């Protein structure tokens, strides 16, 4: 039905400018905690964990003192010593995220769930009948009324501009008064030009520093750079950043379909009893799936291991775990499952791993108890894997699974 509606909109309104809404739940983790404990309202609040951990989310009261997401907890407490620290409850956050998703899904013609607290809607053509801005305003009010969670939005001609506009609307008054912006096509460049290049989605610290060194700190300066030079300097990413700086983003709003699980399995060319070889392959399989989880912004709560003996007998074993997408956690669980499952001293024909019970979230969100160094390590590894293929960097003990040719 969603695909049919999307096709109709494109058929009737294909020549019209696009109308894309970006909705973002405000300080989502903090808002969830305050729903369950009203005494936290108005209190500087940090969602994270452990003295060596990082800030996953923080309230506007904490942000006033300079606390930001991904900041080390120790630094956050130096800036705001009166802040209350909460470890966080991903089960609660995922449940409330699903509730919000259902409310939006009931009304939106085409919806894409970008993360646990972000949504894109394609409202192209709606102005002809009702008014995209008015409709989105009423939807945001309905979300807050039915879930108790505050939500911000912005409208523009594509996903990039609407996402940036949502952030700018929140920043106008430090969260005390939100502005839900509507940026028409004629205002895209005047809106983007004075902003810092930090505002461009997916432009990380490394690329920000690279561009800053050559004097590009504002979006206008980036948009005026020859695209060819940026491509030579930064590869494909340079061209992507140039397009976003010029307000160009033709990516569609992908209709939302909840993924149930991800899995991989390997059939040996010759049946084997070599446990070291099997475990090395298992490490490579788990690393590959964990990278896929983080790339697609998923966390898993169930690990299932499957083995097939040479006589074609199949055995499986699964384990429920706290939501995670971290290699070191999933590797330990997978190895424990294998040790408990592989009891017959018989050759194996196949081994497989499945992650299920998925919920939206990110690697950073999940690493409440881990050090800043470990968070940074995962980010660096994922950057290399995304650029050069998931076999670009692997654990020495693992057997890498070669990337598919592009």
């Amino acid at each position: 039905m969603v695909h049919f509606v999307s096709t109709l909109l494109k058929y009737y309104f294909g020549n019209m400018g696009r109308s894309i809404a970006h909705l973002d739940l405000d300080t989502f983790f903090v808002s969830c905690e305050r729903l369950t404990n009203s005494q936290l309202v108005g209190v500087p609040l940090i969602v994270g964990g452990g003295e060596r951990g990082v800030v996953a989310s923080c309230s506007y009261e904490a942000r006033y003192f300079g606390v930001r997401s991904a900041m080390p907890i120790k630094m956050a407490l130096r800036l705001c010593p009166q802040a209350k620290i909460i470890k966080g409850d991903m089960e609660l956050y995922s449940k409330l995220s699903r509730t919000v998703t259902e409310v939006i899904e009931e009304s939106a013609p085409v919806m894409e769930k970008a993360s646990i607290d972000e949504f894109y809607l394609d409202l192209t053509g709606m102005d002809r009948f009702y008014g995209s801005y008015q409709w989105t305003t009423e939807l945001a009010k309905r979300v807050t009324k039915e879930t108790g969670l505050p939500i911000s939005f912005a409208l523009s001609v594509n996903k990039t501009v609407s996402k940036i506009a949502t952030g700018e609307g929140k920043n106008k008054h430090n969260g005390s008064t939100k502005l839900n912006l509507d940026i028409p096509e004629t205002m895209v460049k005047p809106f983007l030009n004075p902003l810092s290049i930090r505002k461009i989605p997916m432009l990380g610290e490394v690329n920000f520093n690279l561009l800053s060194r050559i004097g590009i700190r504002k979006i206008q300066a980036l948009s005026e750079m020859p695209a060819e030079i940026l491509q030579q300097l930064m590869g494909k990413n340079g061209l992507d950043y140039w397009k976003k700086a010029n307000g160009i983003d033709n990516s569609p709003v992908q209709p939302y379909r909840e993924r149930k699980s991800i899995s991989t399995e390997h059939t040996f060319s010759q049946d084997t009893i070599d446990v070291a070889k099997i475990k090395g392959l298992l490490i490579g399989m788990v690393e590959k799936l964990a990278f896929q989880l983080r790339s697609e912004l998923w966390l898993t709560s169930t690990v299932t291991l499957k083995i097939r003996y040479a006589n074609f007998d199949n055995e499986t074993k699964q384990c429920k775990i706290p939501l995670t997408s971290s290699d070191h956690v999933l590797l330990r669980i997978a190895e424990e499952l294998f040790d408990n499952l592989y009891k017959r001293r018989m050759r194996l024909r196949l081994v497989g791993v499945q992650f299920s019970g998925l919920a939206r979230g990110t690697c950073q969100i999940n690493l409440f108890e881990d050090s800043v160094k470990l968070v940074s390590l995962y980010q660096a590894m994922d950057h290399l894997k995304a650029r050069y293929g998931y076999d670009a960097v692997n654990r020495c003990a693992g057997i890498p699974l070669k990337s598919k040719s592009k």
Side-chain angles (χ1 to χ4, degrees), residues 41-320:
V41 175
V43 175
L45 189 63
I46 294 173
V47 178
E51 289 187 359
R52 297 170 61 229
V54 296
V55 176
S57 181
C58 58
S59 67
Y60 286 111
E61 293 84 0
R63 292 184 187 183
Y64 176 80
F65 294 93
V67 179
R68 294 291 182 269
S69 296
M71 177 181 287
I73 294 288
K74 283 186 176 180
M75 182 183 297
L77 287 176
R78 284 199 295 268
L79 293 171
C80 185
Q82 69 271 36
K84 183 175 179 61
I85 309 291
I86 292 181
K87 181 178 179 180
D89 183 350
M90 281 303 303
E91 296 286 353
L92 171 65
Y93 307 155
S94 297
K95 179 182 177 181
L96 290 172
S97 176
R98 286 193 294 270
T99 302
V100 173
T101 303
E102 290 168 2
V103 174
I104 297 175
E105 209 169 16
E106 285 176 1
S107 304
V110 184
M111 181 196 78
E112 175 183 334
K113 188 171 183 178
S115 69
I116 194 170
D117 59 352
E118 284 186 277
F119 307 83
Y120 290 103
L121 311 181
D122 191 339
L123 307 179
T124 303
M126 192 169 287
D127 274 327
R128 206 173 203 184
F129 304 106
Y130 189 72
S132 298
Y133 187 85
Q134 182 180 350
W135 184 90
T136 311
T137 300
E138 293 182 4
L139 175 62
K141 289 179 179 178
R142 186 157 65 252
V143 168
T144 301
K145 180 179 179 182
E146 296 187 22
T147 68
L149 296 168
I151 190 167
S152 298
F153 73 87
L155 280 167
S156 194
V157 294
N158 60 51
K159 293 163 76 172
T160 293
V161 181
S162 60
K163 179 178 175 65
I164 294 174
T166 303
E168 287 304 289
K170 286 185 180 185
N171 292 336
K172 291 296 182 183
H173 298 282
N174 294 321
S176 59
T177 305
K178 296 179 296 182
L179 296 177
N180 295 316
L181 301 178
D182 185 1
I183 311 295
E185 189 168 6
T186 55
M187 292 301 297
V188 166
K189 292 287 287 182
F191 167 70
L192 292 176
N193 282 344
L195 300 178
S196 167
I197 58 173
R198 286 186 184 273
K199 303 291 184 179
I200 296 177
M202 307 304 292
L203 193 150
E205 192 68 24
V206 173
N207 287 321
F208 171 78
N209 291 333
L210 174 62
L211 291 170
S212 295
R213 283 198 295 270
I214 61 174
I216 298 178
R217 295 181 177 84
K218 298 292 184 181
I219 289 180
Q220 181 172 1
L222 181 59
S223 70
E224 292 173 350
M225 278 282 290
E228 297 80 7
I229 293 179
L230 284 171
Q231 192 166 14
Q232 290 175 7
L233 180 67
M234 309 173 73
K236 180 178 177 294
N237 287 339
L239 185 58
D240 290 340
Y241 297 144
W242 180 86
K243 287 180 179 179
K244 290 176 180 179
N246 281 280
I248 301 169
D249 179 5
N250 296 321
S251 60
V253 174
Q254 301 285 356
Y256 174 67
R257 294 182 181 88
E258 191 72 82
R259 182 191 279 273
K260 302 298 183 183
S261 65
I262 64 171
S263 61
T264 186
E265 56 184 36
H266 178 82
T267 301
F268 297 105
S269 56
Q270 290 185 333
D271 300 344
T272 181
I273 201 171
D274 186 340
V275 173
K277 176 183 177 181
I278 296 168
K279 286 189 174 182
L281 180 67
L282 197 59
I283 290 172
M285 296 168 77
V286 170
E287 280 191 299
K288 173 189 172 184
L289 290 181
F291 171 62
Q292 185 178 346
L293 285 176
R294 296 192 296 272
S295 298
E296 299 180 9
L297 302 179
W298 289 109
L299 301 169
T300 180
S301 63
T302 305
V303 180
T304 303
L305 189 77
K306 172 185 176 181
I307 59 175
R308 179 176 297 157
Y309 288 100
N311 64 355
F312 286 89
D313 284 350
N314 293 320
E315 291 186 12
T316 61
K317 198 172 188 67
Q318 70 173 207
C319 178
K320 294 281 288 183

Side-chain angles (χ1 to χ4, degrees), residues 3-40:
H3 178 71
F4 175 72
V5 172
S6 176
T7 302
L8 274 181
L9 287 172
K10 289 177 181 177
Y11 177 78
Y12 284 109
F13 307 109
N15 295 326
M16 296 177 60
R18 298 169 73 204
S19 182
I20 307 298
H22 174 256
L23 289 82
D24 186 17
L25 290 159
D26 301 332
T27 57
F28 178 52
F29 294 174
V30 170
S31 298
C32 291
E33 296 293 345
R34 287 174 170 173
L35 271 184
T36 59
N37 185 358
S38 60
Q39 293 183 350
L40 298 176

Side-chain angles (χ1 to χ4, degrees), residues 328-401:
H328 67 286
V329 176
L330 295 168
L331 285 167
R332 174 175 52 80
I333 298 299
E335 186 171 357
E336 289 174 0
L337 287 173
F338 178 79
D339 290 338
N340 292 328
L341 189 62
Y342 185 42
K343 297 298 185 182
R344 290 191 271 173
R345 304 309 296 170
M346 184 185 295
R347 293 180 183 274
L348 288 184
R349 178 181 179 83
L350 174 147
V351 62
V353 182
Q354 181 188 74
F355 297 155
S356 56
L358 303 184
R360 285 291 182 181
T362 67
C363 176
Q364 173 200 319
I365 293 170
N366 191 44
L367 296 176
F368 285 119
E369 298 296 341
D370 295 317
S371 68
V372 178
K373 287 185 177 179
L374 188 54
V375 175
S376 300
L377 175 62
Y378 273 106
Q379 291 173 342
M381 288 172 59
D382 287 349
H383 176 74
L384 290 172
K385 288 173 181 282
R387 185 163 186 176
Y388 301 109
Y390 56 72
D391 59 320
V393 54
N394 302 98
R395 283 170 169 77
C396 293
I399 298 175
L401 305 176

